[in-house]
Every structure is written in C-alpha cells, then in structure tokens.
Amino acid sequence: MSKPVAQAFDTAAERPAHLPFSVAFDARDEEALLAVWRDILRSNRWSDGDHTRAFEAAWTAQTGLEAVAFNNWAGGALAALDFVGVAGEKVLSPSNTFLATPRSAQTSGASIVFYDCNREDLCGSFDDFVATAERHRPKAAWIVHVGGHIAFDIERIAAYCREKGIWLIEDCAHAHGANWNGRAAGSFGDAGIYSFYPTKTISTGEGGMLVTANPDLARHACSYRDYGRGSGYRIEGMNHRIDEFTAAMGVIQTRRLADIVAWKQAYARDVLDPAYPNRVRLPEGMESGFYKYIVFDPVEGGAGKVYELPCHRIFKHSVDLANTDWVAENHWCVPIHYPRAMS
Ligand SMILES: Cc1ncc(COP(=O)(O)O)c(C=O)c1O
C-alpha cells in the first residue's frame, strides 16, 4: 500500500492554521504544460483538435460517460437545456446554488421554480422536490452537488424523475472527483455539467464539460457549441467551443485530479474532522471531492460561505424555503486548499 498523503500532516488537536488560497495548478506540471502549449502554438490547430478530444476522453475515463468540452459551464448547461427543449416550460432549480443554475434555465426561455434543500447536505431535498414537481409539472430539473459531495437524495430524485418523465440535469460544478459507491456525479440524471473556473478543484481558467450517457444529447451538445454545425444549422447554437490551449491544460489538470482529491480527503479526515465535529457528514460509500469543507459553526479566518444569499431571494420569488434560509444563516467553510499550487 502506498504511503497515505496524510502522513505529511500533524494530526490537529487544535484548530489548524489555514492554508492560503491559490488556483490548484501543481508546480510539477508547469514544464509539461509549456511544452504542449509550444507544440500547439506551432501546429496551426488552435481550436477543435486533438487536445479537445483528449480532454473529453479524460472525462469519459473519469465518469464513464460521453463527454463534450465547452468554453465554460454555462455553454454546457445551455446545450443540455436546448436538447430538452425547455423554452416555455417550467424548470425546477434548488435555491441554494450559484445563480448560474437558475439563470441558465431563465436564459433558455423557461420559468424557474425553486425548491428547498436539506440541512444535512445543503443539496436538494427529495420531499420538497416531489411536492414542488407535483404542483408545477416541470419538464426538467436541476440538482446541484453543493460543496463537492454528491446530493444525498440523488438516487431517489433520479428515480422519481425517470418515473415522471422529468429530465434531470446535474450541476457538477463543485463535484470533481466525487463518487457514491463508485458512481460519479453526472451519472445519476440525464446529463451533468462540470466547471473549470479558477476557484474549482481543478481549473483551466475558463472551461466546462458536459457528461451524459445519452448519445443523442452528446451529439446535440457537439453541434450546439459550434453554431449548430453538423445539424444543417437546425440546432440554434452559439460559439461555446473550447480552444486547444485550454483543452491541453485540461488534460494535464485532469491527470492531476486524483492527487488533489486524495490530498483533500486526507486533510479532511486527519486534520479537519477532529477539529470540526459539527460538519457535513458523508453517508456510507460517499467520497467527496472536498471542493469545500462545510461546518455548521462560525469559523474564524475561514473561507466564508458557499453561498451568502439564496437564489429565490436574488430572483425575488416569494416562496417559503425554510431549510435554504437556515443553511444560508448557519453554514461556514473551512479553507481546504491544495498546497502544491504554483504561488
Ligand atoms: C454551482 C455552480 N454552477 C455553475 C457555475 C458556473 O460555472 P462557469 O463559471 O464555468 O460558467 C458555478 C461557478 O462558477 C457554480 O458554482
């Protein structure tokens, strides 16, 4: 057995000193990245080439699903919602999320209906999902894996959506490296979208990845990101292509993802867990990617909150989402930053 990453730490009896934030790019990958960028520079193939395919293949290996790369999460979200055809329809969204989630549905011409979360995992509540869906009969729904673990109610929500014919799209922006009994985020619903924004577990500066087991959805997404090319321009897409420099960085970053997640898991287990008993507790078989380490007590010098203001308040919807409001008031984040970053 290899030496656990955690042996590098002193087990914390006291609250640990926080590591400074920097974008998670491992200094050991710098030369490899510069070499591949030099090759691309001289290749005359700066978009839609082998590095895009390789980045997608890396996410197929990561999730077991077809993967389509985008210039950001938003492009992948719009492509999935366009495939479903949500214009003029209702789309459920949790309120405890970044406003990108409901905004993508709004921009796609849908009306948003917010549903509540659980206090334990900060993610969508099955009971409120069902109650809201029965009342509003949505065509599609978002579920968000908030903080880096998989939503605890995902299996029940996915089964309900299958039974009712509701398209379920997973916002995996936080969920790099997470799995539940070996199933990656994005594999429970009809599609999942990852983000590679600089705050994320791995970043390409900007970037996104749609994953799906549905080959028609994957084909639609490929065409959508390229103005509908390949569909006789029937698909009314825009430009959400990823460039080759970004895709090449994505390949290197994805190769490093297992190290980053292993480090975070060990740091959580050996350093943070003993110091923070009042925290999100993962169910059996769940591995978090620990995008965030979430506790239910204020943290001095901490990393603030995942979200300060729930989306139903930003969008001024007058719905009563008691758990969402409770979570906004009562959760905090302890910094958990990969220490091998460049700066
Ligand atoms: C939950 C969630 N969804 C979507 C996004 C949007 O991702 P992007 O900035 O890549 O469009 C983010 C953050 O950036 C996020 O945290």
Side-chain angles (χ1 to χ4, degrees):
M1 227 173 97
S2 62
K3 180 175 173 251
V5 182
Q7 281 182 13
F9 310 130
D10 296 329
T11 303
E14 306 263 309
R15 302 234 149 147
H18 297 144
L19 303 164
F21 172 76
S22 38
V23 173
F25 181 81
D26 194 309
R28 291 173 295 180
D29 293 328
E30 184 179 4
E31 287 312 315
L33 178 64
L34 293 177
V36 74
W37 276 354
R38 204 172 301 114
D39 288 346
I40 297 168
L41 197 59
R42 294 168 182 169
S43 73
N44 279 332
R45 188 82 199 234
W46 284 16
S47 184
D48 195 24
D50 290 346
H51 297 280
T52 300
R53 303 290 97 74
F55 189 24
E56 291 170 339
W59 277 83
T60 291
Q62 184 69 27
T63 60
L65 301 163
E66 279 198 60
V68 182
F70 281 83
N71 59 343
N72 50 38
W73 177 96
L78 293 176
L81 292 165
D82 188 67
F83 175 77
V84 171
V86 299
E89 304 279 350
K90 290 183 178 174
V91 173
L92 301 197
S93 170
S95 173
N96 183 42
T97 182
F98 182 47
L99 98 160
T101 320
R103 178 60 54 74
S104 65
Q106 184 186 48
T107 300
S108 303
S111 29
I112 306 149
V113 184
F114 289 109
Y115 67 98
D116 211 355
C117 64
N118 300 310
R119 296 183 181 196
E120 296 74 21
D121 66 344
L122 288 74
C123 301
S125 144
F126 172 71
D127 290 342
D128 201 54
F129 187 100
V130 171
T132 311
E134 296 291 323
R135 232 178 300 126
H136 290 279
R137 307 277 167 199
K139 182 156 192 190
W142 279 109
I143 178 101
V144 185
H145 303 299
V146 179
H149 51 268
I150 290 175
F152 294 1
D153 288 347
I154 186 72
E155 284 182 338
R156 288 196 297 160
I157 289 176
Y160 173 81
C161 287
R162 274 194 301 277
E163 184 195 321
K164 300 289 179 185
I166 299 167
W167 293 85
L168 181 64
I169 310 173
E170 297 172 57
D171 183 336
C172 308
H174 299 181
H176 312 70
N179 78 80
W180 199 354
N181 295 319
R183 283 182 73 176
S187 68
F188 297 88
D190 294 288
I193 330 287
Y194 287 84
S195 167
F196 303 107
Y197 184 70
T199 56
K200 304 301 184 237
T201 307
I202 56 167
S203 176
T204 56
E206 298 288 354
M209 190 68 72
L210 179 152
V211 294
T212 180
N214 181 334
D216 294 333
L217 200 159
R219 234 187 332 271
H220 189 97
C222 277
S223 175
Y224 184 92
R225 74 177 169 190
D226 197 13
Y227 292 115
R229 228 174 242 140
S231 72
Y233 299 102
R234 184 184 51 78
I235 294 169
E236 295 178 2
M238 289 292 290
N239 177 6
H240 288 288
R241 295 181 301 255
I242 190 169
D243 66 79
E244 285 284 275
F245 297 94
T246 304
M249 188 180 206
V251 172
I252 287 172
Q253 288 284 64
T254 307
R255 229 180 270 146
R256 188 58 70 189
L257 177 61
D259 284 351
I260 295 174
V261 169
W263 183 90
K264 286 183 166 217
Q265 289 174 342
Y267 185 70
R269 184 187 64 232
D270 295 341
V271 178
L272 300 183
D273 287 358
Y276 297 96
N278 192 16
R279 61 178 186 272
V280 169
R281 286 181 180 266
L282 303 175
E284 200 53 39
M286 170 90 69
E287 285 194 44
S288 176
F290 286 107
Y291 171 58
K292 301 279 183 186
Y293 187 93
I294 300 166
V295 299
F296 299 112
D297 294 311
V299 179
E300 220 173 286
K305 301 198 179 222
V306 187
Y307 302 112
E308 297 271 349
L309 192 58
C311 286
H312 72 285
R313 303 212 169 272
I314 297 173
F315 282 73
K316 300 193 183 345
H317 284 206
S318 54
V319 277
D320 181 19
L321 302 178
N323 287 348
T324 299
D325 285 332
W326 183 91
V327 160
E329 288 291 310
N330 290 288
H331 86 281
W332 290 267
C333 298
V334 181
I336 183 163
H337 304 308
Y338 185 59
R340 277 185 174 272
M342 300 270 306
S343 54

